[in-house]
Amino acid sequence: MAALGSHSETSTGSYRANISSTTSFTLSGFPEVEGLEHCLAALLLLLYAVSILGNILILFIIKEEQSLHQPMYYFLSLLSVNDLGVSFSTLPTVLAALCFHAPEIAFDVCLTQMFFIHFFSWTESGILLAMSFDRYVAICHPLHYSTVLTDIHVAHMDISIIIRSFCMVFPLPFLLKRLPFCKAHVLTHSYCLHPDLIRLPCGDSTINSMYGLFVVISAFGLDSMLIFLSYALILRTVLAIASQEERLKTLNTCVSHICAVLIFYVPMVSVSMVHRFGKHAPEYVHKFMSLVYLFVPPLLNPIIYSIKTKEIRKRLCKMFLEPKL
């Protein structure tokens, strides 16, 4: 019995030591493309460069072009800053895993990266909602536009979006830190995501899973419903316009925002569904969906707005096509 008790204590001590030794995670990278890591790294670096340069250009043009000092473009500026945040949040670990073959990431650093990735994701959802409200007021109540969307009101909306995102994501690292991580510490991606991290603890992660689902429904779910409602009201107003030419012209002012909404929500919903209901799907499916979710919006948003916004398009042409004296 004494020997059994001694063995039990040793096992318990070993178990606790195993839990307490959780100081890092291993980022799995992309073993499915073994031998093509350099090509993949070059492709991802090119996407990062295009995304970062595109969003910086959008910010520069809005700052310099006086005609773009309007609420819609203030929101677009915040969207570009947010997309830069998404890119810079994932860039260090993607570079480390693919280019420098350093897949280890410290536990606290991983939680910090997770915080910022989800913070910027939820902020983007709020910005897209604010932009839909801007389109709703501009089309359905044009006479009240200048009084409803003043610079002060826009600033308050921006601050509210940031505070809401911070409050929603703030509990996540603390909820994870209370759990014992005694399983294999290998993550599916080259960056830290909450759905990926809650697979690893050997303790009960039900609270983490339920809180994550609550936030997804209360933030993304509510935002998407309000965006849908605003466009239903916009469509009703547009259909009441007698001239078909005026209808098309009015709807054209919404095309950029509709594209931005689709390229954000479709990958986001897809990756959430794959993580929660496609647990038996191959790992490369999870990785591909997360890459689309994190890379596509920052990459395509500046391209879409550059193509569809006349003032931005003209300024870009002036910058790159006009001969320099």
Side-chain angles (χ1 to χ4, degrees):
M1 287 294 289
L4 183 61
S6 174
H7 176 72
S8 176
E9 286 172 12
T10 303
S11 299
T12 304
S14 173
Y15 175 76
R16 285 173 180 163
N18 197 18
I19 292 173
S20 62
S21 64
T22 307
T23 58
S24 66
F25 293 109
T26 301
L27 303 167
S28 62
F30 301 90
E32 298 87 356
V33 292
E34 189 176 356
L36 298 172
E37 292 96 336
H38 296 300
C39 296
L40 180 60
L43 174 62
L44 291 178
L45 286 175
L46 176 62
L47 294 178
Y48 273 120
V50 172
S51 173
I52 291 168
L53 179 61
N55 283 293
I56 289 174
L57 275 174
I58 291 288
L59 289 170
F60 174 77
I61 290 171
I62 291 174
K63 177 180 177 294
E64 294 296 317
E65 194 67 39
Q66 198 68 30
S67 62
L68 297 178
H69 292 183
Q70 302 174 31
M72 185 63 178
Y73 300 105
Y74 295 148
F75 292 131
L76 178 57
S77 297
L78 186 59
L79 184 64
S80 291
V81 170
N82 192 78
D83 285 343
L84 287 171
V86 173
S87 297
F88 286 123
S89 294
T90 58
L91 179 59
T93 51
V94 170
L95 282 179
L98 287 179
C99 300
F100 302 109
H101 305 290
E104 292 292 320
I105 182 171
F107 182 74
D108 288 334
V109 174
C110 186
L111 293 185
T112 302
Q113 184 185 50
M114 179 206 70
F115 174 90
F116 281 108
I117 288 175
H118 291 294
F119 169 77
F120 288 122
S121 294
W122 291 331
T123 300
E124 182 144 352
S125 179
I127 296 167
L128 292 173
L129 175 59
M131 294 172 89
S132 72
F133 178 70
D134 173 274
R135 291 298 82 205
Y136 164 73
V137 177
I139 294 171
C140 299
H141 304 283
L143 297 179
H144 300 290
Y145 185 81
S146 59
T147 56
V148 172
L149 285 163
T150 63
D151 290 351
I152 295 295
H153 289 162
V154 169
H156 286 165
M157 290 171 70
D158 290 345
I159 293 169
S160 299
I161 290 166
I162 293 169
I163 292 173
R164 186 193 73 159
S165 299
F166 179 85
C167 291
M168 287 191 298
V169 77
F170 184 73
L172 292 181
F174 298 100
L175 288 173
L176 280 167
K177 289 198 80 167
R178 71 185 178 85
L179 294 172
F181 286 79
C182 53
K183 296 181 183 178
H185 307 143
V186 180
L187 297 175
T188 308
H189 311 287
S190 297
Y191 32 78
C192 301
L193 296 176
H194 184 257
D196 201 13
L197 284 167
I198 61 174
R199 297 185 303 109
L200 301 181
C202 52
D204 185 6
S205 60
T206 303
I207 294 175
N208 301 64
S209 183
M210 293 302 294
Y211 180 75
L213 186 60
F214 164 75
V215 170
V216 167
I217 293 172
S218 62
F220 295 141
L222 181 61
D223 289 354
S224 59
M225 283 177 57
L226 291 174
I227 290 171
F228 179 81
L229 176 62
S230 67
Y231 273 102
L233 296 172
I234 286 170
L235 189 60
R236 187 183 68 175
T237 301
V238 168
L239 291 176
I241 299 174
S243 167
Q244 183 177 355
E245 184 180 348
E246 283 298 315
R247 284 202 294 265
L248 292 174
K249 185 178 177 181
T250 303
L251 284 175
N252 192 50
T253 64
C254 301
V255 170
S256 300
H257 179 252
I258 292 172
C259 291
V261 169
L262 291 176
I263 65 174
F264 174 75
Y265 278 104
V266 171
M268 184 273 297
V269 170
S270 301
V271 76
S272 181
M273 292 301 103
V274 166
H275 269 294
R276 293 182 188 281
F277 305 111
K279 294 180 180 178
H280 300 295
E283 272 198 8
Y284 65 81
V285 174
H286 293 265
K287 292 179 182 180
F288 176 74
M289 293 308 303
S290 293
L291 277 176
V292 171
Y293 166 51
L294 291 173
F295 277 81
V296 168
L299 177 70
L300 292 187
N301 281 337
I303 295 173
I304 289 168
Y305 278 95
S306 297
I307 293 172
K308 294 300 299 179
T309 307
K310 184 173 68 175
E311 292 84 357
I312 294 177
R313 192 169 64 245
K314 284 171 60 178
R315 185 68 186 229
L316 282 172
C317 292
K318 186 178 179 181
M319 288 171 63
F320 293 109
L321 297 180
E322 285 189 2
K324 303 291 187 293
L325 296 177

